[in-house]
Amino acid sequence: MPLIAPSLLASNFLKLADECQMLNESEADWFHLDVMDGRFVPNISYGIPIIEQIRKTTSKICDVHLMIVEPEKFAEDFKKAGADILTVHIEACPHLHRNIQQIKSLGMQAGVAINPHTPVNSLLEVLSDIDVVLIMSVNPGFGGQSFIPHSIEKIKQLRKMIDDAGLKTKIEVDGGVSLDNAKQIVDAGADVLVAGNAVFKSADPKQTIHQLKSL
Ligand code: DX5
Ligand code: ZN
């Protein structure tokens, strides 16, 4: 059974408290919080003050996905804002090992995200140091894009790498996840499904979360 991490990027920001309440009442496991800086990705989303407020509404895991350059400058601020998991992009981190150590030393779980063009074997030397690998199944920056089919192969390869090494690292898949493709993604080896539009734009978000969970 996968963990479900709805992405608040697709929520109604004017009703953020209600959206958080809905997730609290649902079977969602994690709150997925997308931070974009307009530099690493061609879009700007929301930042630390919003995450601080969201944190106050929930005891579920706050899974912060940083799509920003120089994440080391803000890791401590995200910890203070209440992040449980802090994920950085391999493409934004020339000193990735140092970033991972920093996140863990601040008491958070460490995640590493990879863009569609980045091979899973680029994670080989850090896999045993991290808690989560986030496979981007769209190009980061926007919600509501279509799932890139090749991502399935990457999930399978990573599943094998993790199992062969006897690790517990979780595979999180982010971008274009829907009720139509979720089963295929889980069967390929994903542990965590991020879903933005599929949840928040559905007629009954709680029911959609339930369906994603029971695939
Ligand atoms: C994209 C973000 C995703 C996004 C997913 O850059 O990292 O988390 O919110 O949205 P959907 O599920 O609508 O593709
Ligand atoms: Zn994300």
Side-chain angles (χ1 to χ4, degrees):
M1 195 184 273
L3 300 178
I4 307 300
S7 166
L8 274 293
L9 190 65
S11 70
N12 181 343
F13 293 160
L14 275 180
K15 297 186 174 169
L16 200 47
D18 296 343
E19 301 282 48
C20 293
Q21 183 60 23
M22 180 277 290
L23 291 185
N24 283 332
E25 290 165 5
S26 79
E27 291 169 57
D29 298 279
W30 297 357
F31 280 34
H32 185 82
L33 304 169
D34 288 302
V35 178
M36 304 177 186
D37 66 352
R39 293 184 65 205
F40 178 64
V41 288
N43 197 10
I44 297 175
S45 57
Y46 52 76
I48 292 157
I50 300 289
I51 291 178
E52 259 171 13
Q53 297 305 319
I54 292 173
R55 170 77 283 173
K56 291 180 191 162
T57 71
T58 189
S59 55
K60 297 197 183 196
I61 288 176
C62 286
D63 169 38
V64 176
H65 176 193
L66 296 184
M67 287 160 274
I68 69 173
V69 298
E70 299 175 341
E72 61 279 359
K73 288 187 178 169
F74 300 101
E76 199 173 340
D77 294 328
F78 282 106
K79 169 66 185 175
K80 285 187 190 144
D84 299 300
I85 305 171
L86 198 63
T87 295
V88 296
H89 266 265
I90 195 169
E91 302 86 2
C93 295
H95 306 287
L96 181 66
H97 184 271
R98 183 181 289 152
N99 291 91
I100 293 165
Q101 301 310 319
Q102 181 198 26
I103 292 167
K104 294 206 296 191
S105 71
L106 288 166
M108 294 178 283
Q109 293 186 52
V112 176
I114 59 171
N115 278 342
H117 74 278
T118 301
V120 291
N121 63 18
S122 59
L123 294 161
L124 191 59
E125 308 301 337
V126 294
L127 206 49
S128 60
D129 292 321
I130 63 182
D131 301 286
V132 180
V133 174
L134 189 159
I135 294 187
M136 283 304 311
S137 40
V138 298
N139 285 293
F142 304 92
Q145 303 180 77
S146 302
F147 184 86
I148 297 172
H150 180 66
S151 313
I152 294 292
E153 280 313 308
K154 292 177 71 177
I155 298 164
K156 287 181 184 167
Q157 284 175 31
L158 182 60
R159 179 82 269 155
K160 184 166 170 20
M161 276 169 69
I162 290 171
D163 290 349
D164 287 353
L167 298 171
K168 296 263 180 285
T169 319
K170 286 188 165 55
I171 303 177
E172 180 173 15
V173 177
D174 185 6
V177 175
S178 70
L179 284 171
D180 294 331
N181 59 20
K183 182 165 174 14
Q184 195 191 5
I185 295 166
V186 171
D187 287 349
D191 302 296
V192 188
L193 301 177
V194 176
N197 281 262
V199 166
F200 286 99
K201 304 290 191 259
S202 73
D204 186 346
K206 281 189 225 173
Q207 175 62 14
T208 304
I209 292 167
H210 172 73
Q211 285 174 277
L212 286 167
K213 187 109 189 135
S214 34
L215 282 165

